[in-house]
Amino acid sequence: MPFAVSIAILGLVQAALVALPRAWRFAWLDAFRSPWWALVPALSIIVVVGIVAWEGESATVLSWLALFAVPPFAALALGWLVHGARPEWAAAVAPLFVLAWAAPAALIGEAAATALTALGCVGLGWLLVSVAPPRWLKLGIYSMATVDACFVAADLLQGPNAVLSAAAPASLPHLQAIHLGDARMGFGDLFVAATLGCLLALPADGPISPFRVDLSARRQGVGAGLVAALALGFDLLFFAVETLPATVPVALALALLDLAERRGSAWMAGEGDQVDHSEAGEGEADAEP
C-alpha cells in the first residue's frame, strides 16, 4: 500500500480512537487520583527515547512488554470500554493476535496488529484518565506533543524510534509500534489519541448520566472530526520532510475544543447577564407609579 494511503489511514485511526471510548468508571480507582499521573504522556516519550538511545537492547524488552500488555487492555476495551462493547467481544483479541502472528508482512496481519495496538491504547488511555484529573491531563497531552515536536525537530526521535520499530519479540507480533503499508507510527501517537477520546468520554465529576453520555459522545464526534482533518492536513508536510510528530494534530484538536468551549461558556455567561439586567429593568419599571 502506498505511503500516502497508509499514513492517511493511520491518521483516520487516530480520529477513530477519539470517537471509540465510552464512559466507564470504577469507583475504586478514585483512590489513586493524582495530578502526577499527567506526566505519563510526556514521560512515555522521554523515557523510551532515552533508554533506547542509551541501550539499544532495551527495545527488545519494550517489545516484549507491549506484547504482554496490549492484548489484555485490548480485550478490556472490546468488552467494556468502547461504544457498543460487550464482554463476549473481548474474545476477538485471539483471532486478531493469530492474524498478526501468522501474516506479519501481509496487509491483513499489519491491520490486525494495528487494531490490537489501537484497542490496547484505549484500555491504557482509560486507565490514565481514571486516575489523572482532567485539567492536568490536558496539560499532559500538550506537553507530550511539545516534547514530540522538539525531539523530531532536533533529530533525537528518529534513531531510537527506528530501533524500537525494528525490535522483535522472537517471531511474535510487533505491538510496540504501528506498521501499515509503507507508513510507520509510534505507539504514543495512538495512545495520545485514545487518551483524548477517553478524556472526552469520561465526565470529570459526578454520576455518568444519560445526558452526560450524550454530551460526551457529541464532544467525541467533534474531536474525532478535528483530529481527522488536522491529521490529513498535517500529512501534506511529508512532501517537505520525512518525519512528523503525529501527536501534534491531537493536541491541536484538544486546544480547539477547549477554545470553543470557553467561548461558548463566555457567551452563555454574557447572555445570562443580559437576561438579569433586562429582568431588573422590567422590575423597576413596574414599580413606578
Side-chain angles (χ1 to χ4, degrees), residues 135-153:
R135 182 181 63 177
W136 290 99
L137 190 51
K138 289 179 182 181
L139 294 176
I141 291 175
Y142 295 140
S143 299
M144 183 181 190
T146 301
V147 169
D148 195 15
C150 290
F151 276 24
V152 169

Side-chain angles (χ1 to χ4, degrees), residues 29 32-39 41 126-138 199 202:
L29 284 172
F32 299 95
R33 288 177 70 85
S34 169
W36 292 104
W37 290 112
L39 294 173
W126 169 81
L127 183 62
L128 182 59
V129 168
S130 297
V131 296
R135 182 181 63 177
W136 290 99
L137 190 51
K138 289 179 182 181
L199 185 63
L202 191 64

Side-chain angles (χ1 to χ4, degrees), residues 64 67 97 100-104 168-174:
W64 279 102
L67 183 70
F97 189 90
W101 188 2
S171 60
L172 296 169
H174 300 199

Side-chain angles (χ1 to χ4, degrees), residues 193-254:
T195 299
L196 175 59
C198 294
L199 185 63
L200 296 177
L202 191 64
D205 51 26
I208 301 176
S209 65
F211 171 77
R212 288 189 175 213
V213 169
D214 183 62
L215 180 62
S216 295
R218 292 181 184 180
R219 293 173 69 203
Q220 287 177 267
V222 174
L226 286 171
V227 170
L230 290 167
L232 293 176
F234 201 58
D235 288 344
L236 296 176
L237 293 175
F238 278 114
F239 285 109
V241 297
E242 293 184 357
T243 305
L244 288 172
T247 56
V248 170
V250 178
L252 288 176
L254 174 58

Side-chain angles (χ1 to χ4, degrees), residues 68-134:
F68 283 105
V70 165
F73 277 107
L76 181 66
L78 281 173
W80 292 272
L81 303 181
V82 298
H83 289 290
R86 296 179 181 177
E88 57 269 24
W89 287 8
V93 166
L96 285 174
F97 189 90
V98 170
L99 278 175
W101 188 2
L107 185 58
I108 188 171
E110 291 178 342
T114 299
L116 266 180
T117 302
L119 289 167
C121 286
V122 172
L124 287 168
W126 169 81
L127 183 62
L128 182 59
V129 168
S130 297
V131 296

